[in-house]
Amino acid sequence: MTDAYTELTADLASVDPQIERLIDAEGRRQSEKIRLIASENYVSEAVLEATGTLLTNKYSEGYAGRRYYEGQQVIDQVEEIAVQRAKTLFGADHANVQPYSGSPANLAVYLAFLKPGDTVMGMGLPMGGHLTHGWSVSATGKWFNAVHYGVGKESGRVDLDEVAQLAAEHKPKLIFCGGTAIPRTVDFAGFAQIAKDNDAVLVADIAHIAGLVAGGAHPSPIGHAEVVTTTTHKTLRGPRGAMILSNAEHAKAIDKAVFPGLQGGPHNHTTAAIAVALKEAAQETFKTYAHQIVANAKALAEGLSSRGFDLVSGGTDNHLILADLTKKDIGGKPAAKALDRAGIELNFNTVPYDTRKPFDPSGLRIGTSAVTTRGMGTQDMDKIAEWIDRAVLAARDEKEDALDAIAGEVREFCGSFPIPGWHAN
């Protein structure tokens, strides 16, 4: 283990020991728990170091060669490298690496193609879609006319015939595919045909699966979707940021929507870290990692299913598992809180056709990206499934001592899998 963590926090410890102690406590928490939140991961020490550089000192409104501040000789090179790596890795004509996060990236797409009141279509939030795909509590649902498709009640999968029917009826100008709780492969080609038939722009939101796409473990939307949005963390294993990829035709509209349409200067330290993550994602080892994520998810799904967990769509094709706890006689929220106490971190989540409220739903969302990064393999997934099952049953039966016992076992297990960028003092 290197001293990267110590070096990065040496001055912080003397200037603000209170915050330094909290950061160290978070490092210990991340190290001692099995982290199964589908949207989280561990960045490499190189990405962590790039994020903490003095590039954060520089303001850079505009784009490379077209800035509104002087002194951009170095920053322009950093951004150009990130853009080129993104284009090469995903095979896209154009890449914008400036969006601050996934939601602003999606909002930029609306700004590029729609006017308030125009019709957009996306997967409904309770079915696995994202807030920014036109859901009612989001600005995208308040400012635009949103139409939503779902999944089959029995299959748990998207019915493209339903999507086609809705598109023909409502004629959306934008169609979103992808989402935040979809355990199955997205049929980009099928969505592309529907968009073409209805003269709509197809937007593939691959925030969750970008690393799988980059590593060849999931089909790519490039060549099907005219616009692709993604965060740069999750399976891609970069910093907290976002990118928009597009064909050449839409490059100008996308860039104008990001800046000056929605934001000012990009976060240059994040851009540098994105560039580093993209370089890592171009390596053969990343492909191995991406395929291992899927293998681990399938193994974990099998372990849970064999213990009576009801999995939406019956399993998974990617990094994500969605479990309905109705048959376990416990809600998703109390189960998630109990699992956290037991050393297993995931999130409660709505399942399709859920009869419970969104803040107290029936499901759990589980992902294998972070445990894969730590080096856990398929041989470890059944053990994790066993701990999950024991913890859920203990929560249902209000056996808190059992949760503490599991936490001790998990802590000992995690000691064999160090995390990048932190080590115990």
Side-chain angles (χ1 to χ4, degrees):
M1 182 69 69
T2 70
D3 291 326
Y5 174 78
T6 303
E7 292 172 2
L8 284 169
T9 59
D11 290 330
L12 179 60
S14 61
V15 173
D16 196 334
Q18 183 179 17
I19 292 297
E20 192 279 332
R21 283 195 296 270
L22 288 172
I23 293 172
D24 185 62
E26 174 62 13
R28 184 174 300 278
R29 189 195 67 79
Q30 290 187 19
S31 176
E32 292 182 348
K33 290 194 173 185
I34 294 173
R35 300 176 61 231
L36 295 171
I37 291 181
S39 53
E40 293 184 352
N41 211 327
Y42 298 96
V43 301
S44 69
E45 290 189 352
V47 169
L48 192 65
E49 290 171 11
T51 308
T53 60
L54 47 69
L55 296 182
T56 193
N57 296 340
K58 187 60 186 156
Y59 237 111
S60 304
E61 287 189 353
Y63 293 99
R66 297 177 288 120
R67 305 286 189 181
Y68 288 80
Y69 294 84
E70 299 308 315
Q72 307 293 340
Q73 296 89 342
V74 174
I75 297 300
D76 278 2
Q77 294 180 66
V78 170
E79 186 169 319
E80 286 171 340
I81 289 170
V83 166
Q84 187 56 53
R85 287 177 180 174
K87 290 164 59 177
T88 300
L89 182 65
F90 289 98
D93 293 340
H94 179 71
N96 188 308
V97 297
Q98 291 194 8
Y100 299 148
S101 66
S103 292
N106 283 346
L107 193 57
V109 175
Y110 285 88
L111 183 59
F113 297 104
L114 302 185
K115 290 181 173 59
D118 283 347
T119 299
V120 61
M121 189 166 77
M123 177 177 272
L125 182 66
M127 299 293 173
H130 192 261
L131 284 166
T132 57
H133 297 176
W135 198 244
S136 57
V137 297
S138 163
T140 61
K142 295 178 185 297
W143 295 345
F144 302 96
N145 176 39
V147 177
H148 294 107
Y149 58 88
V151 297
K153 197 164 188 177
E154 297 300 323
S155 69
R157 298 170 184 253
V158 173
D159 180 351
L160 284 182
D161 289 337
E162 179 204 12
V163 177
Q165 181 180 349
L166 287 170
E169 179 182 353
H170 297 280
K171 294 297 181 183
K173 291 187 176 181
L174 281 182
I175 297 177
F176 277 91
C177 61
T180 191
I182 303 174
R184 294 299 183 176
T185 301
V186 180
D187 184 354
F188 297 123
F191 274 101
Q193 186 60 54
I194 293 169
K196 181 180 179 181
D197 291 344
N198 293 278
D199 197 26
V201 173
L202 179 63
V203 184
D205 184 337
I206 62 168
H208 266 272
I209 57 172
L212 304 183
V213 171
H218 188 288
S220 173
I222 300 298
H224 302 295
E226 297 167 71
V227 178
V228 177
T229 64
T230 183
T231 51
T232 49
H233 44 290
K234 302 186 177 79
T235 54
L236 193 55
R237 208 160 57 179
R240 299 297 297 272
M243 303 187 298
I244 305 175
L245 310 172
S246 75
N247 57 23
E249 177 186 354
H250 298 312
K252 187 174 181 179
I254 291 295
D255 285 354
K256 187 177 179 181
V258 174
F259 173 84
L262 286 180
Q263 61 190 54
H267 297 167
N268 294 316
H269 56 300
T270 301
T271 303
I274 289 172
V276 174
L278 292 170
K279 183 175 183 178
E280 292 175 343
Q283 309 306 311
E284 284 297 320
T285 52
F286 191 91
K287 293 180 181 179
T288 301
Y289 146 81
H291 285 277
Q292 188 63 53
I293 287 174
V294 177
N296 282 351
K298 289 181 179 293
L300 182 55
E302 290 173 5
L304 291 171
S305 183
S306 70
R307 290 171 172 84
F309 283 83
D310 184 8
L311 306 184
V312 173
S313 79
T316 181
D317 295 326
N318 52 39
H319 68 301
L320 189 147
I321 301 163
L322 195 58
D324 184 345
L325 299 184
T326 302
K327 294 179 182 178
K328 292 288 186 179
D329 198 25
I330 187 172
K333 187 173 184 177
K337 290 187 176 297
L339 282 158
D340 191 35
R341 178 167 175 171
I344 299 172
E345 180 189 3
L346 39 69
N347 66 278
F348 56 87
N349 208 92
T350 300
V351 297
Y353 305 99
D354 207 331
T355 58
R356 299 171 68 102
K357 295 180 180 180
F359 199 61
D360 186 20
S362 300
L364 296 174
R365 188 181 68 159
I366 305 165
T368 54
S369 303
V371 293
T372 304
T373 294
R374 291 186 73 166
M376 298 176 197
T378 53
Q379 71 278 4
D380 301 306
M381 294 302 110
D382 193 66
K383 182 187 294 291
I384 293 174
E386 179 188 353
W387 279 322
I388 292 173
D389 186 40
R390 284 170 54 193
V392 168
L393 294 177
R396 184 195 65 188
D397 298 336
E398 299 182 351
K399 296 180 178 179
E400 295 188 359
D401 289 347
L403 298 176
D404 294 335
I406 296 169
E409 295 173 28
V410 167
R411 199 159 42 242
E412 182 178 359
F413 172 75
C414 287
S416 300
F417 302 95
I419 68 172
W422 184 88
H423 58 85
N425 294 323

